[in-house]
mmCIF file of all heavy atoms in Angstrom:
data_model
loop_
_atom_site.group_PDB
_atom_site.id
_atom_site.type_symbol
_atom_site.label_atom_id
_atom_site.label_comp_id
_atom_site.label_asym_id
_atom_site.label_seq_id
_atom_site.Cartn_x
_atom_site.Cartn_y
_atom_site.Cartn_z
ATOM 1 N N TRP S 338 34.949 -28.528 165.453
ATOM 2 C CA TRP S 338 34.108 -29.719 165.307
ATOM 3 C C TRP S 338 33.183 -29.946 166.515
ATOM 4 O O TRP S 338 31.970 -29.963 166.395
ATOM 5 C CB TRP S 338 34.980 -30.948 165.006
ATOM 6 C CG TRP S 338 34.199 -32.232 164.906
ATOM 7 C CD1 TRP S 338 34.336 -33.333 165.684
ATOM 8 C CD2 TRP S 338 33.164 -32.551 163.966
ATOM 9 N NE1 TRP S 338 33.462 -34.322 165.295
ATOM 10 C CE2 TRP S 338 32.721 -33.855 164.239
ATOM 11 C CE3 TRP S 338 32.549 -31.854 162.915
ATOM 12 C CZ2 TRP S 338 31.715 -34.493 163.518
ATOM 13 C CZ3 TRP S 338 31.546 -32.468 162.206
ATOM 14 C CH2 TRP S 338 31.135 -33.779 162.499
ATOM 15 N N ASP S 368 36.311 -27.266 160.480
ATOM 16 C CA ASP S 368 36.164 -28.720 160.288
ATOM 17 C C ASP S 368 35.044 -29.022 159.290
ATOM 18 O O ASP S 368 34.625 -28.140 158.508
ATOM 19 C CB ASP S 368 35.943 -29.406 161.657
ATOM 20 C CG ASP S 368 36.485 -30.821 161.696
ATOM 21 O OD1 ASP S 368 35.791 -31.725 161.207
ATOM 22 O OD2 ASP S 368 37.612 -31.046 162.206
ATOM 23 N N ASP S 369 34.564 -30.209 159.318
ATOM 24 C CA ASP S 369 33.561 -30.748 158.382
ATOM 25 C C ASP S 369 32.319 -29.852 158.283
ATOM 26 O O ASP S 369 31.910 -29.239 159.263
ATOM 27 C CB ASP S 369 33.150 -32.124 158.945
ATOM 28 C CG ASP S 369 32.454 -32.975 157.920
ATOM 29 O OD1 ASP S 369 32.166 -32.473 156.831
ATOM 30 O OD2 ASP S 369 32.197 -34.156 158.224
ATOM 31 N N TRP S 413 39.448 -28.505 157.005
ATOM 32 C CA TRP S 413 39.225 -29.966 157.017
ATOM 33 C C TRP S 413 38.820 -30.430 155.613
ATOM 34 O O TRP S 413 38.009 -29.782 154.948
ATOM 35 C CB TRP S 413 38.105 -30.268 157.997
ATOM 36 C CG TRP S 413 37.662 -31.706 158.102
ATOM 37 C CD1 TRP S 413 38.052 -32.593 159.049
ATOM 38 C CD2 TRP S 413 36.708 -32.403 157.284
ATOM 39 N NE1 TRP S 413 37.409 -33.814 158.858
ATOM 40 C CE2 TRP S 413 36.571 -33.714 157.773
ATOM 41 C CE3 TRP S 413 35.948 -32.041 156.158
ATOM 42 C CZ2 TRP S 413 35.734 -34.670 157.202
ATOM 43 C CZ3 TRP S 413 35.118 -33.001 155.580
ATOM 44 C CH2 TRP S 413 35.009 -34.303 156.104
ATOM 45 N N ARG S 445 29.368 -44.748 157.545
ATOM 46 C CA ARG S 445 29.081 -43.331 157.787
ATOM 47 C C ARG S 445 28.426 -42.707 156.537
ATOM 48 O O ARG S 445 28.784 -41.617 156.105
ATOM 49 C CB ARG S 445 30.344 -42.569 158.142
ATOM 50 C CG ARG S 445 30.055 -41.376 159.047
ATOM 51 C CD ARG S 445 31.240 -40.445 159.158
ATOM 52 N NE ARG S 445 30.970 -39.399 160.139
ATOM 53 C CZ ARG S 445 31.535 -38.209 160.111
ATOM 54 N NH1 ARG S 445 32.401 -37.879 159.197
ATOM 55 N NH2 ARG S 445 31.250 -37.319 161.034
ATOM 56 N N LYS S 478 43.509 -30.478 157.645
ATOM 57 C CA LYS S 478 43.244 -31.730 158.367
ATOM 58 C C LYS S 478 42.646 -32.694 157.348
ATOM 59 O O LYS S 478 41.551 -32.456 156.820
ATOM 60 C CB LYS S 478 42.256 -31.468 159.499
ATOM 61 C CG LYS S 478 41.834 -32.708 160.275
ATOM 62 C CD LYS S 478 40.907 -32.307 161.419
ATOM 63 C CE LYS S 478 40.329 -33.496 162.164
ATOM 64 N NZ LYS S 478 39.310 -33.069 163.145
ATOM 65 N N ASP S 480 41.070 -36.053 156.542
ATOM 66 C CA ASP S 480 40.347 -37.085 157.276
ATOM 67 C C ASP S 480 40.037 -38.285 156.386
ATOM 68 O O ASP S 480 40.107 -38.198 155.146
ATOM 69 C CB ASP S 480 39.031 -36.453 157.790
ATOM 70 C CG ASP S 480 38.480 -37.120 159.028
ATOM 71 O OD1 ASP S 480 38.962 -38.201 159.396
ATOM 72 O OD2 ASP S 480 37.551 -36.565 159.629
ATOM 73 N N ASN S 482 37.137 -41.572 156.881
ATOM 74 C CA ASN S 482 36.226 -42.075 157.914
ATOM 75 C C ASN S 482 35.538 -43.400 157.671
ATOM 76 O O ASN S 482 34.449 -43.641 158.209
ATOM 77 C CB ASN S 482 35.173 -41.000 158.209
ATOM 78 C CG ASN S 482 35.754 -39.911 159.075
ATOM 79 O OD1 ASN S 482 36.256 -40.175 160.166
ATOM 80 N ND2 ASN S 482 35.734 -38.685 158.592
ATOM 81 N N CYS S 528 44.217 -37.787 159.684
ATOM 82 C CA CYS S 528 43.169 -38.160 160.626
ATOM 83 C C CYS S 528 42.390 -39.281 159.986
ATOM 84 O O CYS S 528 42.239 -39.311 158.769
ATOM 85 C CB CYS S 528 42.271 -36.928 160.843
ATOM 86 S SG CYS S 528 40.779 -37.256 161.791
ATOM 87 N N GLY S 530 38.959 -40.858 161.442
ATOM 88 C CA GLY S 530 38.047 -41.071 162.568
ATOM 89 C C GLY S 530 38.875 -41.032 163.849
ATOM 90 O O GLY S 530 38.840 -41.941 164.666
ATOM 91 N N GLY S 531 39.707 -39.985 163.983
ATOM 92 C CA GLY S 531 40.700 -39.953 165.050
ATOM 93 C C GLY S 531 41.967 -40.630 164.570
ATOM 94 O O GLY S 531 42.479 -40.345 163.494
ATOM 95 N N TRP S 547 45.830 -36.664 164.085
ATOM 96 C CA TRP S 547 44.821 -36.502 165.143
ATOM 97 C C TRP S 547 44.741 -37.842 165.871
ATOM 98 O O TRP S 547 44.360 -38.866 165.303
ATOM 99 C CB TRP S 547 43.488 -36.090 164.527
ATOM 100 C CG TRP S 547 42.348 -35.897 165.471
ATOM 101 C CD1 TRP S 547 41.070 -36.327 165.266
ATOM 102 C CD2 TRP S 547 42.339 -35.194 166.720
ATOM 103 N NE1 TRP S 547 40.277 -35.948 166.327
ATOM 104 C CE2 TRP S 547 41.035 -35.268 167.248
ATOM 105 C CE3 TRP S 547 43.323 -34.547 167.479
ATOM 106 C CZ2 TRP S 547 40.682 -34.696 168.465
ATOM 107 C CZ3 TRP S 547 42.976 -33.977 168.685
ATOM 108 C CH2 TRP S 547 41.669 -34.060 169.174
ATOM 109 N N ASP S 550 39.458 -39.532 168.230
ATOM 110 C CA ASP S 550 38.247 -38.721 168.387
ATOM 111 C C ASP S 550 37.844 -38.636 169.844
ATOM 112 O O ASP S 550 37.001 -37.832 170.216
ATOM 113 C CB ASP S 550 37.093 -39.354 167.597
ATOM 114 C CG ASP S 550 37.095 -38.884 166.156
ATOM 115 O OD1 ASP S 550 37.870 -37.962 165.823
ATOM 116 O OD2 ASP S 550 36.341 -39.440 165.350
HETATM 117 C C1 LIG A 1 36.286 -37.568 162.201
HETATM 118 C C2 LIG A 1 37.379 -36.743 162.829
HETATM 119 O O1 LIG A 1 38.214 -37.556 163.591
HETATM 120 C C3 LIG A 1 36.743 -35.622 163.634
HETATM 121 O O2 LIG A 1 37.734 -34.918 164.322
HETATM 122 C C4 LIG A 1 35.981 -34.755 162.700
HETATM 123 O O3 LIG A 1 36.855 -34.120 161.814
HETATM 124 C C5 LIG A 1 34.937 -35.559 161.960
HETATM 125 N N1 LIG A 1 35.503 -36.717 161.345
HETATM 126 C C6 LIG A 1 34.257 -34.729 160.919
HETATM 127 O O4 LIG A 1 33.384 -35.452 160.168
#
Side-chain angles (χ1 to χ4, degrees):
W338 177 241
D368 210 279
D369 197 353
W413 177 98
R445 209 193 186 206
K478 177 177 174 187
D480 206 348
N482 283 304
C528 171
W547 180 223
D550 274 351

